[in-house]
Amino acid sequence: MNLIVNKEYFSENVVRLDIEAPLIAKSRKAGHFVIVRVDENGERIPLTIAGSDLEKGTITLVVQKIGVSSTKLCALNAGDYVADVVGPLGKATHIEKFGTVVCACGGVGTAPMLPIAEAMKKAGNKVITVLAARTKDLIILEEQMRKVSDEVVIMTDDGSYGTKGLVTNGVEGIINREKVDLCVTIGPAIMMKFVSLLTKKYEVPTVASLNTIMVDGTGMCGACRVSIGGETKFVCVDGPEFDAHQVNFDEMMMRMGAYREQEQAAFAKYKESIK
């Protein structure tokens, strides 16, 4: 059992949770994730670690309400417990001094990007972060990102904050004005696909953190398999970060929608049960 120490709402459907997990807090690095089970009968859901506090022995997770498990997790409050938290899992982000690094994140993808941007900055890189969302209310962690970035570019689909446009508009504007040595992108799969297509055109090396379906998180079940350069890889043990230009995003998105009908049915049943 892991205690929830703090809860904060970023928006109606996005919640920050600080959870007691001292061993994970001590050993986690940028790019690592955990698998959380809300209760004894719950499914296992992967969540990237957004930060940690060694003194308090806590890790920070940012959760968006999507299905039954994430909705149950977001409904918990400080003082409640989750059944278990397993991690850190996956391979940590490769950090070195590249030069100028663009961190392109969409929506809740900003949370896992925060420790990466921080690590890149500490390694001596110039860090330019592009925060993108549909509207102003969905921009999260702006203040924290500004502390670890040399520049923050904000893009909103509706123009309610920053510049009107997509994340790709922001990234392309940076590429057109200066040399970019690396792009890191985290967000919805469709967003990462188009960031990848853009940076490939400009020959900018790009890393994408993939958010596939996972079950055990140890490479045994195969649920998270993806095609990278024509080879099968497992996001949980080989990733979650890969050369974005080698990722078959179309196949990945098709596999992510494999259980959509079951997910919708489960959510409808859950909503009915809490009336």
Side-chain angles (χ1 to χ4, degrees):
M1 302 285 282
N2 295 79
L3 175 68
I4 297 174
V5 176
N6 181 61
K7 178 181 181 179
E8 177 185 354
Y9 280 93
F10 285 149
S11 68
E12 182 181 357
N13 294 315
V14 180
V15 172
R16 166 186 168 151
L17 299 173
D18 295 327
I19 300 177
E20 275 191 354
L23 295 179
I24 299 175
K26 183 179 180 180
S27 56
R28 71 94 196 179
K29 294 181 180 179
H32 279 148
F33 68 94
V34 293
I35 285 186
V36 178
R37 199 164 57 113
V38 180
D39 53 48
E40 292 184 356
N41 297 315
E43 65 179 336
R44 296 158 60 85
I45 55 175
L47 296 165
T48 308
I49 302 169
S52 63
D53 188 318
L54 292 179
E55 291 186 5
K56 295 180 180 178
T58 60
I59 59 171
T60 298
L61 305 176
V62 176
V63 189
Q64 182 176 22
K65 295 181 189 177
I66 299 176
V68 175
S69 295
S70 56
T71 299
K72 284 182 177 181
L73 184 55
C74 289
L76 297 178
N77 294 303
D80 291 333
Y81 289 83
V82 295
D84 46 53
V85 180
V86 178
L89 299 172
K91 293 182 177 179
T93 305
H94 175 69
I95 303 294
E96 66 173 80
K97 187 173 182 179
F98 296 98
T100 297
V101 177
V102 170
C103 295
C105 35
V108 293
T110 304
M113 186 69 83
L114 179 59
I116 294 173
E118 182 179 17
M120 288 293 185
K121 182 63 178 174
K122 286 182 178 178
N125 294 287
K126 177 182 179 181
V127 175
I128 305 174
T129 298
V130 181
L131 299 181
R134 294 193 306 275
T135 187
K136 179 180 179 180
D137 293 340
L138 299 179
I139 295 289
I140 65 171
L141 298 170
E142 178 188 350
E143 181 181 344
Q144 292 88 334
M145 272 299 194
R146 289 192 183 280
K147 290 179 180 178
V148 299
S149 306
D150 294 275
E151 179 184 356
V152 172
V153 176
I154 295 177
M155 308 294 299
T156 50
D157 293 1
D158 61 2
S160 57
Y161 191 44
T163 301
K164 184 176 182 179
L166 303 175
V167 64
T168 47
N169 300 126
V171 173
E172 188 166 30
I174 297 165
I175 292 173
N176 284 333
R177 79 178 192 213
E178 62 185 278
K179 183 180 183 296
V180 174
D181 299 287
L182 178 71
C183 176
V184 182
T185 182
I186 308 179
I190 189 67
M191 183 212 88
M192 294 190 289
K193 173 186 175 179
F194 282 102
V195 169
S196 174
L197 290 172
L198 173 70
T199 56
K200 188 174 184 178
K201 181 177 73 172
Y202 288 102
E203 299 182 340
V204 176
T206 302
V207 173
S209 181
L210 306 186
N211 52 351
T212 54
I213 295 170
M214 290 186 195
V215 179
D216 66 272
T218 62
M220 293 189 293
C221 73
C224 67
R225 65 186 183 273
V226 289
S227 294
I228 310 295
E231 295 184 9
T232 297
K233 299 289 184 180
F234 298 113
V235 173
C236 64
V237 291
D238 298 318
E241 296 173 5
F242 297 94
D243 179 345
H245 299 157
Q246 298 296 314
V247 177
N248 186 330
F249 282 105
D250 292 332
E251 179 190 74
M252 172 183 152
M253 287 186 284
M254 180 180 68
R255 288 184 54 78
M256 289 176 68
Y259 301 104
R260 189 159 291 134
E261 289 184 12
Q262 291 89 336
E263 290 167 352
Q264 291 171 346
F267 194 62
K269 184 178 180 180
Y270 169 72
K271 288 197 295 183
E272 188 66 26
S273 71
I274 60 175
K275 283 185 178 180

